[in-house]
Amino acid sequence: MTATHLISEDAFASLLDRLIQDMPVMGPVERRDQPGFYRFDRLEKTADLQVAYTTTTIPPKKFFFPPVDEMFTFDQSGPLHIEEQAEGSPFVLVGVHPCDLAAIEALDAAYAFPPADMRWIRRRKQAVIIGMECRPDDYCFCTSLGTADARAPADLFLTPLDEGYLAEVHSPMGSVLLSDTAARQATKNDRKAAEQVLQRKIEAVTARLTTSVSQLADILEYGGLTAVWRETAERCYSCGSCNITCPTCFCFSIEDTLDADLSGGQRQRSWDACQLLDFARVAGGHNFRGDRWQRVRHRWHRKFLYLYRRFGRPYCTGCGRCSRACTADINIVDITNRLVAHFQQEHKP
Amino acid sequence: MRRSEKKRIAFFDFACCEGCQLAVLELEETLLDLLSHTDIAAWREVMTGDEPPYDVAFCEGSICTRADEERLLRVRRDAKILVALGTCAAIGCHNNLRNRIDTREALEKVYGKAARGMDVTEARPVSAVVDTDYRILGCPVSLPEFIAVFKAILTDQPYRLPNEPVCVECKLTDTLCVYEKGRVCLGPLTRCGCGAICTRFGDVCHGCRGLVDEANLAAMPRVFSREHLHAIMGAVASGQPLDEERIRQMIALYNNYPELKIEDRGDA
Ligand code: SF4
Ligand code: SF4
Ligand code: SF4
């Protein structure tokens, strides 16, 4: 059984104070330009942490794989010289919701798949992760994907209670974090209170898929859904926002740029998106998914079919970011349920 | 990559505010680095004289008179590479708005009697009059793109305009979408490459880099007619309702040279 402790708000605050002095601590902060909206950023001080944040535009994966990641610099003024860019130093990531924890775990699996992505793996090893129970909004549907109570790969997971936080220890690092604090053993009542918080949250998640993930994979594999893809594509801008805000999307493109003196430059990789027109365009000009509806279909196929078959989990954690980011109001739950309804309609007994 | 001999470069301005050249001058140190690979043959904004021929001619502005047209044709003849610098030159900008009204009427309204004898033509981007080898977009021109094109020319490489909407750059910079603030933005239709400079600093995207390839124009009116969005925006825009016509007008501000097909707006 997971060890659980009760840590008061003050004790947690002083733990964070200490951590902030030692190393970078990343967590959800309020956006200066728009109160009530949040982003993951470095905490200057403990008070910056927004425990009750709803969601962020960009998920915390940006700390393990920056949106624009400089891989190495090169210099050709003499013999070619290449210098790999280090991945940074140890840090703490705090305030990660269950869906985003599940997403980091999903990306761990994807990036470990040969050939392993060493930049991801090295950055992941540098991080201590403190998870946090969440407050769902209208876009969340984690309960349909089994991620509502996800914990891995958190070292410590906190549930806010009246008296402080219930702290679940999920790794040796988690107990190290608590060792110098005034945390006490959790009582049965503390655990019960946390259990109730989880139950209330699950009830608050109202958006729901009308099928299970395994049936969804079968439906997508069966096909015959072109009408839904086409009608969705009519509304879609192919802007890629749904991909880029997704905590489980992992595609990137690589580009070299020259310095102004032309004697050297850098190679960088940045997040790419399969909804963009040129994503599947290859040398010679052919585009494997030149039609918008093919790209729309591809997103669902990736999330709920191909990667589900390969890794045994859908590459969607129900965080709702894609629906929120879509200025065309293409909601992943609506469209998925429309696919299911279309399939059922076509296959009425 | 191969380093070329020093290239003879020139800058020319046609009908415009010369803001693109000014923006280029703001590159300061970087500009000096880039210019160290070149000799300057003409650049009215920084020096006197004009010594053709040129390896590279940067042309800014729109072509609005016969004299403009002749001068541009002359530059084209004298230049190995011609670059359309900025939205006016590449796809058409504010200048072209006057094509919607009768030219004579417009002239008289602005210049009165002095309008007589002005040899004015339809306003056209440089790229609608001569072949261009490279295009740099933006109002004013995007500096990262200017630098990228300049380097491409120095190293004899092609340059491909980015073909993604501005939303991509908002997301890569973790900028809150203005739709979440209840405002309207042309970013989903607009070619990126500006680094989302407007939305990052609190404005909306006005579409100055023109349409991205296969921009889904038909999707936007639907978005704007969404009830709740309409309500929020109605309040924000102080009661001015945003209908399809106004959206089309907004888009047309920077995409108003209809003869230039979207396919022609890509890289040369
Ligand atoms: S965010 Fe919406 S409009 Fe943009 S590509 Fe995704 S589904 Fe299409
Ligand atoms: S597909 Fe959408 S809801 Fe699912 S994890 Fe990605 S952003 Fe979240
Ligand atoms: S602010 Fe504009 S450009 Fe940026 S993501 Fe939103 S719609 Fe796209």
Side-chain angles (χ1 to χ4, degrees), chain A residues 262, chain B residues 1-7 37-38 151-157:
Chain A
L262 305 185
Chain B
M1 70 248 45
R2 203 153 40 87
R3 267 210 245 175
S4 315
E5 296 295 299
K6 278 203 170 188
K7 300 229 193 249
H37 308 282
T38 67
K151 289 180 197 163
I153 292 171
L154 290 176
T155 51
D156 299 326
Q157 309 265 333

Side-chain angles (χ1 to χ4, degrees), chain A residues 6 9 159-166 189-191 193-195 197:
Chain A
L6 199 285
E9 272 179 37
T159 303
L161 301 176
D162 291 342
E163 271 187 79
Y165 300 95
L166 184 91
N189 278 344
D190 297 332
R191 284 198 292 274
E195 184 57 34
V197 170

Side-chain angles (χ1 to χ4, degrees), chain A residues 158-332:
Chain A
L158 306 177
T159 303
L161 301 176
D162 291 342
E163 271 187 79
Y165 300 95
L166 184 91
E168 300 164 22
V169 176
H170 289 283
S171 77
M173 178 53 80
S175 46
V176 172
L177 283 174
L178 287 185
S179 59
D180 275 342
T181 68
R184 64 161 169 78
Q185 288 288 325
T187 63
K188 218 168 160 185
N189 278 344
D190 297 332
R191 284 198 292 274
K192 216 164 134 197
E195 184 57 34
Q196 277 165 0
V197 170
L198 174 62
Q199 279 315 318
R200 275 201 298 277
K201 161 181 124 171
I202 287 173
E203 282 155 26
V205 176
T206 48
R208 234 172 231 115
L209 298 186
T210 49
T211 187
S212 68
V213 288
S214 77
Q215 270 170 351
L216 179 55
D218 291 343
I219 291 173
L220 291 169
E221 194 158 51
Y222 191 87
L225 304 164
T226 312
V228 184
W229 302 132
R230 284 189 185 277
E231 117 200 343
T232 309
E234 271 173 30
R235 300 152 54 186
C236 172
Y237 291 114
S238 301
C239 74
S241 293
C242 47
N243 299 132
I244 303 181
T245 58
C246 177
T248 63
C249 274
F250 50 68
C251 292
F252 56 83
S253 60
I254 295 183
E255 197 185 12
D256 290 351
T257 48
L258 279 179
D259 295 335
D261 68 4
L262 305 185
S263 66
Q266 53 264 295
R267 172 164 299 180
Q268 59 193 30
R269 58 182 193 173
S270 54
W271 297 356
D272 207 344
C274 63
Q275 298 308 292
L276 298 170
L277 173 62
D278 286 348
F279 182 85
R281 197 193 293 281
V282 291
H286 181 67
N287 192 336
F288 284 95
R289 289 186 289 278
D291 286 344
R292 211 184 295 280
W293 71 269
Q294 298 171 320
R295 299 196 288 280
V296 171
R297 180 182 62 183
H298 185 73
R299 177 154 78 101
W300 265 265
H301 277 185
R302 284 297 279 186
K303 303 246 146 258
F304 298 109
L305 174 58
Y306 307 149
L307 296 176
Y308 176 72
R309 294 274 191 257
R310 183 187 291 179
F311 294 110
R313 64 191 301 159
Y315 267 56
C316 170
T317 65
C319 75
R321 282 190 181 85
C322 54
S323 307
R324 181 184 269 272
C326 181
T327 56
D329 209 12
I330 293 172
N331 184 303
I332 189 166

Side-chain angles (χ1 to χ4, degrees), chain A residues 241 325 327, chain B residues 165-168 170-171 175-179 185-188 196 199 203-205:
Chain A
S241 293
T327 56
Chain B
V166 178
C167 302
V168 167
C170 278
K171 295 299 174 307
T175 302
L176 185 70
C177 178
V178 301
Y179 282 76
C185 180
L186 290 184
T199 50
D203 201 350
V204 302
C205 171

Side-chain angles (χ1 to χ4, degrees), chain B:
Chain B
M1 70 248 45
R2 203 153 40 87
R3 267 210 245 175
S4 315
E5 296 295 299
K6 278 203 170 188
K7 300 229 193 249
R8 291 173 55 75
I9 66 161
F11 283 81
F12 298 98
D13 42 78
F14 295 89
C16 64
C17 70
E18 296 187 33
C20 289
Q21 284 189 66
L22 211 58
V24 166
L25 290 173
E26 278 167 16
L27 281 171
E28 298 180 352
E29 297 278 296
T30 313
L31 183 61
L32 292 179
D33 272 345
L34 291 172
L35 291 180
S36 70
H37 308 282
T38 67
D39 291 320
I40 303 177
W43 196 343
R44 193 187 58 80
E45 198 158 286
V46 293
M47 58 176 245
T48 51
D50 180 355
E51 293 170 23
Y54 329 106
D55 290 312
V56 192
F58 291 91
C59 295
E60 171 200 60
S62 292
I63 307 304
C64 296
T65 63
R66 290 270 164 252
D68 280 351
E69 193 176 316
E70 276 157 29
R71 192 158 62 98
L72 178 63
L73 290 171
R74 198 277 295 168
V75 171
R76 179 66 273 192
R77 274 195 299 275
D78 285 338
K80 283 193 201 135
I81 294 172
L82 191 144
V83 185
L85 180 67
T87 293
C88 285
I91 56 171
C93 196
H94 304 73
N95 293 314
N96 303 48
L97 286 175
R98 82 149 153 79
N99 294 341
R100 295 183 199 174
I101 39 178
D102 182 77
T103 309
R104 277 292 133 199
E105 215 174 278
L107 275 178
E108 263 152 41
K109 195 161 189 180
V110 178
Y111 297 105
K113 283 203 185 100
R116 252 168 261 158
M118 284 188 174
D119 196 4
V120 171
T121 63
E122 185 189 30
R124 287 162 296 169
V126 163
S127 56
V129 179
V130 295
D131 286 341
T132 53
D133 301 289
Y134 292 87
R135 291 179 204 174
I136 312 178
L137 297 168
C139 175
V141 72
S142 322
L143 292 177
E145 187 159 72
F146 175 82
I147 296 169
V149 167
F150 208 108
K151 289 180 197 163
I153 292 171
L154 290 176
T155 51
D156 299 326
Q157 309 265 333
Y159 173 77
R160 222 183 120 67
L161 284 170
N163 193 20
E164 298 157 3
V166 178
C167 302
V168 167
E169 289 178 336
C170 278
K171 295 299 174 307
L172 293 183
T173 51
D174 201 345
T175 302
L176 185 70
C177 178
V178 301
Y179 282 76
E180 298 226 39
K181 307 180 192 176
R183 296 178 71 194
V184 188
C185 180
L186 290 184
L189 300 174
T190 304
R191 190 184 296 279
C192 76
C194 53
I197 190 164
C198 293
T199 50
R200 274 194 297 123
F201 291 95
D203 201 350
V204 302
C205 171
H206 297 260
C208 80
R209 290 178 52 83
L211 294 177
V212 70
D213 288 0
E214 297 186 22
N216 193 350
L217 284 168
M220 192 159 265
R222 186 197 157 272
V223 169
F224 285 129
S225 67
R226 270 175 12 193
E227 287 270 301
H228 64 285
L229 205 56
H230 217 110
I232 304 167
M233 288 182 324
V236 173
S238 51
Q240 199 174 16
L242 263 155
D243 55 16
E244 189 170 336
E245 183 47 32
R246 247 199 97 204
I247 296 150
R248 293 203 179 277
Q249 281 172 13
M250 284 161 67
I251 293 167
L253 182 57
Y254 295 103
N255 293 278
N256 55 7
Y257 197 73
E259 283 75 8
L260 213 58
K261 291 195 202 67
I262 291 176
E263 305 88 76
D264 295 339
R265 296 175 193 197
D267 51 331

